[in-house]
Amino acid sequence: MQSTAPHSIFTTQFWLLGLSSFLFSSSFNMLIPELPGYLSAMGGADYKGAIIGLFTLTAGLSRPFSGRLTDRVGRVPVMAFGSLVCFVCGLMYPIFTTVMPFLLLRLVHGFSTGFKPTGTSAYVADIVPAERRGEAMGIHGMCMGVGSAFGPAVGSMISQSFSLNGLFYTSSIFALLSIAILMNMKETLKEKRPLSVDAFKIGWRDIFEPDVFSPALITFLCYFSFGAVATITPDFSDHLGLQNKGYYFMIFTVSSILVRLVAGKVSDQHGRIPVTLAGCIILIISMIITGYADTITLFLAGGAVFGISMGILSPVLSAWTVDLSRDTNRGRALATMYICLEAGIGIGAFLSAALFANKIQNLPLVFFSMGGFAILALIYILVIYKNKRGARAI
């Protein structure tokens, strides 16, 4: 389905979706810098990898369901459910104040990103022209990115100025506002079916769509680094004396936002593979810089370069996935990519925590190892680039 204005992406629906995504992204990202310290205060320092790992585990497991429901029940209900999970979990964090209940809540919280982005990406693909798909994914990603930058920085300020409970309730309010916007948006799925038990019967094709193997594999390998960054950088900030642990995330996201405005559009013009190749090379460089960082300046510089890499890879891999999918299984194709994304983040989180082992001297090992997975992605991209050189969009 395409927009009624074939050459325009700047519709009211598009900007409402962007605002909802900004609020949603702010809601769960504002918690990330403070949760490792919160868990350590409970006596759960050895479980830091689970903060991101459990979150992404549930997100990944829920992707087949969100993809199927997106294609059957509608884009808007799936998005609204994701934001609803954030709203409820924000209210529950002040109640779950011991290690195991906290980890259980992180597991539940993961349903939010398991649903919202799947429905959102399908909605964007429905309302924009195919020839501007990469650009649209980049601009919408900017809205998510602004939330990712705004959330951690403001979250740390709220925690320091008021309390952690104030932070949790603020997260919940942001999610509620996201839902309110979605409830006033027009559904774009033409052939909707009523919700039924059959909608939850998952087959292999709901888990893995072979048509999108290439962008899904590259996503998996590249997002190990994201899991490590989300898990380890709060401790890295403490080690370097960076008081506001949200600054790294703010620098990372600001640089990501600036690149997103360009990367998707360039991939529309020159093809997904060359732009993905550039993003992967920059990702490897960012892991090397971060691994060697021994000052706040170098640490934040690594975050800026990491943001550039993610600003390139995120919209281009999403657009590439949609390019390879059919209209009738767009949600399933996107779910496959997001399953690989969550798997990469989750494994990266657990692996980085195990390699770190709460020992500062292990920080270089963590980031160099994550760079190694990005090198594997680079090798795969070079192979398909050699085979499909000159392709505009695969």
Side-chain angles (χ1 to χ4, degrees), residues 33-328:
E34 301 301 324
L35 290 183
Y38 184 59
L39 181 59
S40 295
M42 296 178 193
D46 292 338
Y47 298 99
K48 288 177 183 175
I51 292 173
I52 302 299
L54 291 176
F55 186 91
T56 55
L57 173 63
T58 314
L61 292 174
S62 63
R63 294 289 184 188
F65 298 96
S66 66
R68 187 171 173 84
L69 290 169
T70 294
D71 289 334
R72 293 168 65 95
V73 178
R75 318 318 196 187
V76 173
V78 169
M79 292 189 287
F81 179 78
S83 293
L84 179 63
V85 172
C86 275
F87 169 69
V88 173
C89 288
L91 298 177
M92 298 300 291
Y93 277 107
I95 300 172
F96 288 27
T97 56
T98 55
V99 173
M100 287 303 126
F102 169 83
L103 295 178
L104 176 62
L105 188 58
R106 287 301 292 170
L107 195 66
V108 174
H109 203 164
F111 280 109
S112 60
T113 57
F115 277 78
K116 179 70 164 64
T118 305
T120 297
S121 296
Y123 197 102
V124 171
D126 288 344
I127 64 174
V128 302
E131 68 271 14
R132 298 186 68 182
R133 186 172 289 150
E135 181 184 2
M137 292 292 185
I139 293 174
H140 178 266
M142 179 194 70
C143 299
M144 289 285 289
V146 172
S148 297
F150 176 82
V154 171
S156 289
M157 290 172 57
I158 293 172
S159 176
Q160 293 169 13
S161 301
F162 298 98
S163 67
L164 275 170
N165 284 352
L167 171 61
F168 295 140
Y169 295 138
T170 302
S171 170
S172 190
I173 291 170
F174 272 58
L176 183 62
L177 293 173
S178 175
I179 298 169
I181 292 169
L182 292 172
M183 291 298 97
N184 290 285
M185 293 185 63
K186 180 181 178 182
E187 177 58 57
T188 58
L189 181 64
K190 282 187 174 179
E191 298 180 4
K192 294 188 296 181
R193 307 182 208 177
L195 184 63
S196 64
V197 174
D198 184 62
F200 296 93
K201 294 179 180 178
I202 300 300
W204 173 245
R205 288 296 293 265
D206 295 303
I207 298 172
F208 178 69
E209 174 53 66
D211 291 345
V212 299
F213 174 80
S214 289
L217 177 62
I218 295 166
T219 298
F220 172 68
L221 292 170
C222 288
Y223 272 81
F224 273 71
S225 300
F226 196 99
V229 164
T231 303
I232 303 300
T233 53
D235 283 308
F236 212 151
S237 297
D238 281 339
H239 165 63
L240 295 174
L242 187 60
Q243 186 174 7
N244 188 324
K245 289 173 276 191
Y247 282 158
Y248 177 94
F249 294 95
M250 183 175 67
I251 294 292
F252 146 67
T253 312
V254 167
S255 64
S256 171
I257 290 167
L258 296 175
V259 175
R260 284 175 188 270
L261 294 173
V262 178
K265 188 171 185 177
V266 171
S267 77
D268 287 336
Q269 297 169 345
H270 300 287
R272 313 302 186 201
I273 293 177
V275 181
T276 303
L277 179 64
C280 195
I281 292 171
I282 295 171
L283 173 60
I284 294 166
I285 294 170
S286 75
M287 291 297 100
I288 294 172
I289 293 173
T290 307
Y292 279 118
D294 56 2
T295 65
I296 291 176
T297 300
L298 194 57
F299 176 59
L300 295 180
V305 178
F306 180 61
I308 291 171
S309 70
M310 290 290 107
I312 294 171
L313 292 170
S314 179
V316 176
L317 289 170
S318 295
W320 190 0
T321 300
V322 175
D323 291 345
L324 295 174
S325 68
R326 295 182 292 274
D327 290 349
T328 54

Side-chain angles (χ1 to χ4, degrees), residues 8-55:
S8 175
I9 61 176
F10 303 112
T11 63
T12 301
Q13 283 178 292
F14 184 83
W15 290 121
L16 284 174
L17 185 66
L19 179 57
S20 174
S21 293
F22 161 75
L23 293 166
F24 171 76
S25 179
S26 297
S27 173
F28 73 88
N29 276 298
M30 67 174 58
L31 305 180
I32 290 176
E34 301 301 324
L35 290 183
Y38 184 59
L39 181 59
S40 295
M42 296 178 193
D46 292 338
Y47 298 99
K48 288 177 183 175
I51 292 173
I52 302 299
L54 291 176
F55 186 91

